[in-house]
PDB file of all heavy atoms in Angstrom:
ATOM      1  N   ASP A   1      -8.344   5.676  -1.293  1.00 86.00           N
ATOM      2  CA  ASP A   1      -8.688   4.698  -2.320  1.00 86.00           C
ATOM      3  C   ASP A   1      -7.451   4.346  -3.130  1.00 86.00           C
ATOM      4  O   ASP A   1      -6.903   5.180  -3.853  1.00 86.00           O
ATOM      5  CB  ASP A   1      -9.773   5.272  -3.238  1.00 86.00           C
ATOM      6  CG  ASP A   1     -10.325   4.242  -4.215  1.00 86.00           C
ATOM      7  OD1 ASP A   1      -9.719   3.163  -4.356  1.00 86.00           O
ATOM      8  OD2 ASP A   1     -11.374   4.526  -4.848  1.00 86.00           O
ATOM      9  N   ALA A   2      -6.996   3.104  -2.986  1.00 91.00           N
ATOM     10  CA  ALA A   2      -5.832   2.635  -3.736  1.00 91.00           C
ATOM     11  C   ALA A   2      -6.154   1.325  -4.450  1.00 91.00           C
ATOM     12  O   ALA A   2      -5.283   0.479  -4.661  1.00 91.00           O
ATOM     13  CB  ALA A   2      -4.627   2.463  -2.813  1.00 91.00           C
ATOM     14  N   ARG A   3      -7.407   1.164  -4.832  1.00 93.00           N
ATOM     15  CA  ARG A   3      -7.811  -0.059  -5.527  1.00 93.00           C
ATOM     16  C   ARG A   3      -7.022  -0.231  -6.819  1.00 93.00           C
ATOM     17  O   ARG A   3      -6.972   0.664  -7.661  1.00 93.00           O
ATOM     18  CB  ARG A   3      -9.311  -0.033  -5.810  1.00 93.00           C
ATOM     19  CG  ARG A   3     -10.168  -0.317  -4.600  1.00 93.00           C
ATOM     20  CD  ARG A   3     -11.642  -0.186  -4.890  1.00 93.00           C
ATOM     21  NE  ARG A   3     -12.038   1.223  -4.967  1.00 93.00           N
ATOM     22  CZ  ARG A   3     -13.297   1.625  -5.141  1.00 93.00           C
ATOM     23  NH1 ARG A   3     -14.259   0.733  -5.293  1.00 93.00           N
ATOM     24  NH2 ARG A   3     -13.571   2.919  -5.194  1.00 93.00           N
ATOM     25  N   GLY A   4      -6.387  -1.397  -6.950  1.00 94.00           N
ATOM     26  CA  GLY A   4      -5.647  -1.698  -8.162  1.00 94.00           C
ATOM     27  C   GLY A   4      -4.349  -0.925  -8.319  1.00 94.00           C
ATOM     28  O   GLY A   4      -3.691  -1.024  -9.356  1.00 94.00           O
ATOM     29  N   ALA A   5      -3.962  -0.158  -7.302  1.00 95.00           N
ATOM     30  CA  ALA A   5      -2.715   0.612  -7.393  1.00 95.00           C
ATOM     31  C   ALA A   5      -1.503  -0.306  -7.359  1.00 95.00           C
ATOM     32  O   ALA A   5      -1.548  -1.400  -6.784  1.00 95.00           O
ATOM     33  CB  ALA A   5      -2.629   1.621  -6.257  1.00 95.00           C
ATOM     34  N   ILE A   6      -0.423   0.129  -7.972  1.00 96.00           N
ATOM     35  CA  ILE A   6       0.818  -0.648  -8.004  1.00 96.00           C
ATOM     36  C   ILE A   6       1.826   0.027  -7.075  1.00 96.00           C
ATOM     37  O   ILE A   6       2.291   1.141  -7.348  1.00 96.00           O
ATOM     38  CB  ILE A   6       1.391  -0.737  -9.424  1.00 96.00           C
ATOM     39  CG1 ILE A   6       0.355  -1.353 -10.375  1.00 96.00           C
ATOM     40  CG2 ILE A   6       2.673  -1.560  -9.439  1.00 96.00           C
ATOM     41  CD1 ILE A   6       0.736  -1.254 -11.841  1.00 96.00           C
ATOM     42  N   LEU A   7       2.153  -0.651  -5.975  1.00 96.00           N
ATOM     43  CA  LEU A   7       3.105  -0.136  -5.001  1.00 96.00           C
ATOM     44  C   LEU A   7       4.242  -1.129  -4.786  1.00 96.00           C
ATOM     45  O   LEU A   7       4.837  -1.210  -3.718  1.00 96.00           O
ATOM     46  CB  LEU A   7       2.399   0.168  -3.676  1.00 96.00           C
ATOM     47  CG  LEU A   7       1.385   1.321  -3.752  1.00 96.00           C
ATOM     48  CD1 LEU A   7      -0.009   0.830  -3.421  1.00 96.00           C
ATOM     49  CD2 LEU A   7       1.772   2.442  -2.822  1.00 96.00           C
ATOM     50  N   ALA A   8       4.558  -1.876  -5.837  1.00 94.00           N
ATOM     51  CA  ALA A   8       5.613  -2.890  -5.746  1.00 94.00           C
ATOM     52  C   ALA A   8       6.938  -2.244  -5.360  1.00 94.00           C
ATOM     53  O   ALA A   8       7.385  -1.285  -5.994  1.00 94.00           O
ATOM     54  CB  ALA A   8       5.748  -3.613  -7.089  1.00 94.00           C
ATOM     55  N   GLY A   9       7.554  -2.764  -4.307  1.00 93.00           N
ATOM     56  CA  GLY A   9       8.855  -2.251  -3.881  1.00 93.00           C
ATOM     57  C   GLY A   9       8.819  -0.878  -3.251  1.00 93.00           C
ATOM     58  O   GLY A   9       9.872  -0.292  -2.972  1.00 93.00           O
ATOM     59  N   ALA A  10       7.631  -0.336  -3.003  1.00 95.00           N
ATOM     60  CA  ALA A  10       7.527   0.999  -2.413  1.00 95.00           C
ATOM     61  C   ALA A  10       7.897   0.960  -0.935  1.00 95.00           C
ATOM     62  O   ALA A  10       7.739  -0.058  -0.261  1.00 95.00           O
ATOM     63  CB  ALA A  10       6.117   1.545  -2.587  1.00 95.00           C
ATOM     64  N   ASN A  11       8.386   2.087  -0.442  1.00 96.00           N
ATOM     65  CA  ASN A  11       8.709   2.212   0.979  1.00 96.00           C
ATOM     66  C   ASN A  11       7.544   2.889   1.686  1.00 96.00           C
ATOM     67  O   ASN A  11       7.309   4.085   1.518  1.00 96.00           O
ATOM     68  CB  ASN A  11       9.989   3.033   1.175  1.00 96.00           C
ATOM     69  CG  ASN A  11      10.311   3.237   2.655  1.00 96.00           C
ATOM     70  OD1 ASN A  11       9.831   2.503   3.513  1.00 96.00           O
ATOM     71  ND2 ASN A  11      11.129   4.227   2.956  1.00 96.00           N
ATOM     72  N   LEU A  12       6.804   2.113   2.478  1.00 96.00           N
ATOM     73  CA  LEU A  12       5.662   2.620   3.228  1.00 96.00           C
ATOM     74  C   LEU A  12       5.892   2.462   4.731  1.00 96.00           C
ATOM     75  O   LEU A  12       4.952   2.351   5.508  1.00 96.00           O
ATOM     76  CB  LEU A  12       4.389   1.890   2.802  1.00 96.00           C
ATOM     77  CG  LEU A  12       3.882   2.229   1.385  1.00 96.00           C
ATOM     78  CD1 LEU A  12       3.287   1.006   0.712  1.00 96.00           C
ATOM     79  CD2 LEU A  12       2.865   3.349   1.435  1.00 96.00           C
ATOM     80  N   GLU A  13       7.154   2.455   5.119  1.00 96.00           N
ATOM     81  CA  GLU A  13       7.484   2.282   6.527  1.00 96.00           C
ATOM     82  C   GLU A  13       6.830   3.379   7.367  1.00 96.00           C
ATOM     83  O   GLU A  13       6.889   4.558   7.039  1.00 96.00           O
ATOM     84  CB  GLU A  13       8.993   2.303   6.733  1.00 96.00           C
ATOM     85  CG  GLU A  13       9.423   2.037   8.170  1.00 96.00           C
ATOM     86  CD  GLU A  13      10.924   1.917   8.333  1.00 96.00           C
ATOM     87  OE1 GLU A  13      11.643   1.945   7.310  1.00 96.00           O
ATOM     88  OE2 GLU A  13      11.371   1.791   9.486  1.00 96.00           O
ATOM     89  N   ARG A  14       6.150   2.948   8.430  1.00 96.00           N
ATOM     90  CA  ARG A  14       5.485   3.844   9.387  1.00 96.00           C
ATOM     91  C   ARG A  14       4.426   4.725   8.745  1.00 96.00           C
ATOM     92  O   ARG A  14       4.060   5.764   9.278  1.00 96.00           O
ATOM     93  CB  ARG A  14       6.529   4.694  10.132  1.00 96.00           C
ATOM     94  CG  ARG A  14       7.390   3.862  11.059  1.00 96.00           C
ATOM     95  CD  ARG A  14       8.592   4.616  11.614  1.00 96.00           C
ATOM     96  NE  ARG A  14       8.202   5.846  12.301  1.00 96.00           N
ATOM     97  CZ  ARG A  14       9.070   6.699  12.836  1.00 96.00           C
ATOM     98  NH1 ARG A  14      10.366   6.470  12.722  1.00 96.00           N
ATOM     99  NH2 ARG A  14       8.654   7.776  13.457  1.00 96.00           N
ATOM    100  N   SER A  15       3.943   4.309   7.589  1.00 96.00           N
ATOM    101  CA  SER A  15       2.865   5.067   6.945  1.00 96.00           C
ATOM    102  C   SER A  15       1.535   4.745   7.619  1.00 96.00           C
ATOM    103  O   SER A  15       1.379   3.721   8.288  1.00 96.00           O
ATOM    104  CB  SER A  15       2.796   4.750   5.448  1.00 96.00           C
ATOM    105  OG  SER A  15       2.572   3.374   5.257  1.00 96.00           O
ATOM    106  N   ARG A  16       0.563   5.623   7.421  1.00 95.00           N
ATOM    107  CA  ARG A  16      -0.754   5.466   8.048  1.00 95.00           C
ATOM    108  C   ARG A  16      -1.780   5.156   6.956  1.00 95.00           C
ATOM    109  O   ARG A  16      -2.112   6.029   6.154  1.00 95.00           O
ATOM    110  CB  ARG A  16      -1.110   6.724   8.823  1.00 95.00           C
ATOM    111  CG  ARG A  16      -0.263   6.905  10.076  1.00 95.00           C
ATOM    112  CD  ARG A  16      -0.450   8.260  10.728  1.00 95.00           C
ATOM    113  NE  ARG A  16       0.263   9.302  10.004  1.00 95.00           N
ATOM    114  CZ  ARG A  16       0.288  10.579  10.388  1.00 95.00           C
ATOM    115  NH1 ARG A  16      -0.377  10.961  11.452  1.00 95.00           N
ATOM    116  NH2 ARG A  16       0.964  11.471   9.692  1.00 95.00           N
ATOM    117  N   LEU A  17      -2.256   3.918   6.963  1.00 94.00           N
ATOM    118  CA  LEU A  17      -3.188   3.464   5.939  1.00 94.00           C
ATOM    119  C   LEU A  17      -4.465   2.901   6.544  1.00 94.00           C
ATOM    120  O   LEU A  17      -5.199   2.162   5.878  1.00 94.00           O
ATOM    121  CB  LEU A  17      -2.526   2.405   5.047  1.00 94.00           C
ATOM    122  CG  LEU A  17      -1.274   2.826   4.279  1.00 94.00           C
ATOM    123  CD1 LEU A  17      -0.035   2.205   4.906  1.00 94.00           C
ATOM    124  CD2 LEU A  17      -1.360   2.401   2.830  1.00 94.00           C
ATOM    125  N   SER A  18      -4.740   3.216   7.791  1.00 93.00           N
ATOM    126  CA  SER A  18      -5.941   2.686   8.438  1.00 93.00           C
ATOM    127  C   SER A  18      -7.190   3.086   7.663  1.00 93.00           C
ATOM    128  O   SER A  18      -7.358   4.244   7.270  1.00 93.00           O
ATOM    129  CB  SER A  18      -6.022   3.194   9.876  1.00 93.00           C
ATOM    130  OG  SER A  18      -4.958   2.670  10.648  1.00 93.00           O
ATOM    131  N   GLY A  19      -8.042   2.096   7.429  1.00 92.00           N
ATOM    132  CA  GLY A  19      -9.288   2.330   6.717  1.00 92.00           C
ATOM    133  C   GLY A  19      -9.170   2.448   5.219  1.00 92.00           C
ATOM    134  O   GLY A  19     -10.170   2.624   4.522  1.00 92.00           O
ATOM    135  N   ILE A  20      -7.968   2.333   4.671  1.00 93.00           N
ATOM    136  CA  ILE A  20      -7.784   2.469   3.233  1.00 93.00           C
ATOM    137  C   ILE A  20      -8.491   1.339   2.479  1.00 93.00           C
ATOM    138  O   ILE A  20      -8.611   0.211   2.974  1.00 93.00           O
ATOM    139  CB  ILE A  20      -6.281   2.493   2.865  1.00 93.00           C
ATOM    140  CG1 ILE A  20      -6.070   2.994   1.429  1.00 93.00           C
ATOM    141  CG2 ILE A  20      -5.658   1.119   3.055  1.00 93.00           C
ATOM    142  CD1 ILE A  20      -4.622   3.271   1.085  1.00 93.00           C
ATOM    143  N   VAL A  21      -8.986   1.646   1.304  1.00 93.00           N
ATOM    144  CA  VAL A  21      -9.575   0.642   0.416  1.00 93.00           C
ATOM    145  C   VAL A  21      -8.539   0.363  -0.667  1.00 93.00           C
ATOM    146  O   VAL A  21      -8.239   1.225  -1.492  1.00 93.00           O
ATOM    147  CB  VAL A  21     -10.885   1.140  -0.215  1.00 93.00           C
ATOM    148  CG1 VAL A  21     -11.441   0.102  -1.182  1.00 93.00           C
ATOM    149  CG2 VAL A  21     -11.913   1.462   0.866  1.00 93.00           C
ATOM    150  N   ALA A  22      -7.961  -0.825  -0.639  1.00 94.00           N
ATOM    151  CA  ALA A  22      -6.870  -1.142  -1.572  1.00 94.00           C
ATOM    152  C   ALA A  22      -7.056  -2.527  -2.176  1.00 94.00           C
ATOM    153  O   ALA A  22      -6.096  -3.269  -2.366  1.00 94.00           O
ATOM    154  CB  ALA A  22      -5.522  -1.041  -0.852  1.00 94.00           C
ATOM    155  N   GLN A  23      -8.272  -2.878  -2.508  1.00 95.00           N
ATOM    156  CA  GLN A  23      -8.545  -4.177  -3.106  1.00 95.00           C
ATOM    157  C   GLN A  23      -7.712  -4.390  -4.374  1.00 95.00           C
ATOM    158  O   GLN A  23      -7.592  -3.492  -5.212  1.00 95.00           O
ATOM    159  CB  GLN A  23     -10.025  -4.303  -3.456  1.00 95.00           C
ATOM    160  CG  GLN A  23     -10.942  -4.378  -2.241  1.00 95.00           C
ATOM    161  CD  GLN A  23     -12.393  -4.248  -2.650  1.00 95.00           C
ATOM    162  OE1 GLN A  23     -12.904  -3.143  -2.783  1.00 95.00           O
ATOM    163  NE2 GLN A  23     -13.056  -5.361  -2.838  1.00 95.00           N
ATOM    164  N   LYS A  24      -7.117  -5.567  -4.462  1.00 96.00           N
ATOM    165  CA  LYS A  24      -6.344  -5.993  -5.628  1.00 96.00           C
ATOM    166  C   LYS A  24      -5.135  -5.095  -5.908  1.00 96.00           C
ATOM    167  O   LYS A  24      -4.575  -5.123  -7.011  1.00 96.00           O
ATOM    168  CB  LYS A  24      -7.237  -6.086  -6.876  1.00 96.00           C
ATOM    169  CG  LYS A  24      -8.339  -7.134  -6.759  1.00 96.00           C
ATOM    170  CD  LYS A  24      -9.127  -7.268  -8.051  1.00 96.00           C
ATOM    171  CE  LYS A  24     -10.195  -8.359  -7.918  1.00 96.00           C
ATOM    172  NZ  LYS A  24     -10.973  -8.511  -9.155  1.00 96.00           N
ATOM    173  N   ALA A  25      -4.707  -4.324  -4.931  1.00 96.00           N
ATOM    174  CA  ALA A  25      -3.495  -3.498  -5.102  1.00 96.00           C
ATOM    175  C   ALA A  25      -2.265  -4.401  -5.030  1.00 96.00           C
ATOM    176  O   ALA A  25      -2.290  -5.494  -4.459  1.00 96.00           O
ATOM    177  CB  ALA A  25      -3.428  -2.424  -4.030  1.00 96.00           C
ATOM    178  N   ASP A  26      -1.174  -3.929  -5.604  1.00 97.00           N
ATOM    179  CA  ASP A  26       0.074  -4.696  -5.634  1.00 97.00           C
ATOM    180  C   ASP A  26       1.086  -4.070  -4.671  1.00 97.00           C
ATOM    181  O   ASP A  26       1.659  -3.016  -4.955  1.00 97.00           O
ATOM    182  CB  ASP A  26       0.637  -4.717  -7.059  1.00 97.00           C
ATOM    183  CG  ASP A  26       1.906  -5.559  -7.186  1.00 97.00           C
ATOM    184  OD1 ASP A  26       2.342  -6.142  -6.170  1.00 97.00           O
ATOM    185  OD2 ASP A  26       2.457  -5.632  -8.297  1.00 97.00           O
ATOM    186  N   PHE A  27       1.289  -4.728  -3.528  1.00 97.00           N
ATOM    187  CA  PHE A  27       2.281  -4.309  -2.544  1.00 97.00           C
ATOM    188  C   PHE A  27       3.451  -5.298  -2.510  1.00 97.00           C
ATOM    189  O   PHE A  27       4.147  -5.395  -1.514  1.00 97.00           O
ATOM    190  CB  PHE A  27       1.659  -4.248  -1.141  1.00 97.00           C
ATOM    191  CG  PHE A  27       0.684  -3.128  -0.911  1.00 97.00           C
ATOM    192  CD1 PHE A  27      -0.673  -3.305  -1.127  1.00 97.00           C
ATOM    193  CD2 PHE A  27       1.117  -1.890  -0.456  1.00 97.00           C
ATOM    194  CE1 PHE A  27      -1.586  -2.291  -0.893  1.00 97.00           C
ATOM    195  CE2 PHE A  27       0.215  -0.861  -0.225  1.00 97.00           C
ATOM    196  CZ  PHE A  27      -1.141  -1.062  -0.441  1.00 97.00           C
ATOM    197  N   SER A  28       3.664  -6.031  -3.572  1.00 95.00           N
ATOM    198  CA  SER A  28       4.716  -7.045  -3.576  1.00 95.00           C
ATOM    199  C   SER A  28       6.075  -6.406  -3.280  1.00 95.00           C
ATOM    200  O   SER A  28       6.423  -5.367  -3.850  1.00 95.00           O
ATOM    201  CB  SER A  28       4.764  -7.783  -4.917  1.00 95.00           C
ATOM    202  OG  SER A  28       4.960  -6.888  -5.993  1.00 95.00           O
ATOM    203  N   ASP A  29       6.803  -7.018  -2.357  1.00 94.00           N
ATOM    204  CA  ASP A  29       8.151  -6.561  -1.967  1.00 94.00           C
ATOM    205  C   ASP A  29       8.167  -5.154  -1.379  1.00 94.00           C
ATOM    206  O   ASP A  29       9.246  -4.561  -1.233  1.00 94.00           O
ATOM    207  CB  ASP A  29       9.124  -6.648  -3.149  1.00 94.00           C
ATOM    208  CG  ASP A  29       9.242  -8.059  -3.695  1.00 94.00           C
ATOM    209  OD1 ASP A  29       9.562  -8.958  -2.908  1.00 94.00           O
ATOM    210  OD2 ASP A  29       8.991  -8.261  -4.893  1.00 94.00           O
ATOM    211  N   ALA A  30       7.014  -4.617  -1.039  1.00 96.00           N
ATOM    212  CA  ALA A  30       6.972  -3.290  -0.421  1.00 96.00           C
ATOM    213  C   ALA A  30       7.415  -3.375   1.037  1.00 96.00           C
ATOM    214  O   ALA A  30       7.331  -4.422   1.680  1.00 96.00           O
ATOM    215  CB  ALA A  30       5.564  -2.712  -0.507  1.00 96.00           C
ATOM    216  N   ILE A  31       7.897  -2.255   1.551  1.00 95.00           N
ATOM    217  CA  ILE A  31       8.305  -2.167   2.956  1.00 95.00           C
ATOM    218  C   ILE A  31       7.182  -1.462   3.715  1.00 95.00           C
ATOM    219  O   ILE A  31       6.904  -0.284   3.485  1.00 95.00           O
ATOM    220  CB  ILE A  31       9.624  -1.407   3.113  1.00 95.00           C
ATOM    221  CG1 ILE A  31      10.742  -2.118   2.342  1.00 95.00           C
ATOM    222  CG2 ILE A  31      10.005  -1.263   4.585  1.00 95.00           C
ATOM    223  CD1 ILE A  31      12.035  -1.328   2.255  1.00 95.00           C
ATOM    224  N   LEU A  32       6.533  -2.205   4.610  1.00 97.00           N
ATOM    225  CA  LEU A  32       5.431  -1.671   5.401  1.00 97.00           C
ATOM    226  C   LEU A  32       5.704  -1.850   6.890  1.00 97.00           C
ATOM    227  O   LEU A  32       4.795  -2.036   7.694  1.00 97.00           O
ATOM    228  CB  LEU A  32       4.113  -2.352   5.004  1.00 97.00           C
ATOM    229  CG  LEU A  32       3.597  -2.006   3.611  1.00 97.00           C
ATOM    230  CD1 LEU A  32       3.267  -3.263   2.816  1.00 97.00           C
ATOM    231  CD2 LEU A  32       2.372  -1.115   3.688  1.00 97.00           C
TER     232      LEU A  32
END
């Protein structure tokens, strides 16, 4: 559960997020 979480500019390269609930989360400029 990452609803509304702020991950701006975060490094999520090769991360596993299948099935995650992240409505309205901020992944702006993140590396995925």
Side-chain angles (χ1 to χ4, degrees):
D1 188 347
R3 284 176 284 184
I6 303 169
L7 293 118
N11 177 20
L12 289 144
E13 184 174 355
R14 292 169 56 182
S15 59
R16 290 171 283 182
L17 300 106
S18 294
I20 195 170
V21 177
Q23 291 170 275
K24 297 184 178 180
D26 183 1
F27 289 92
S28 58
D29 301 305
I31 300 171
L32 291 129

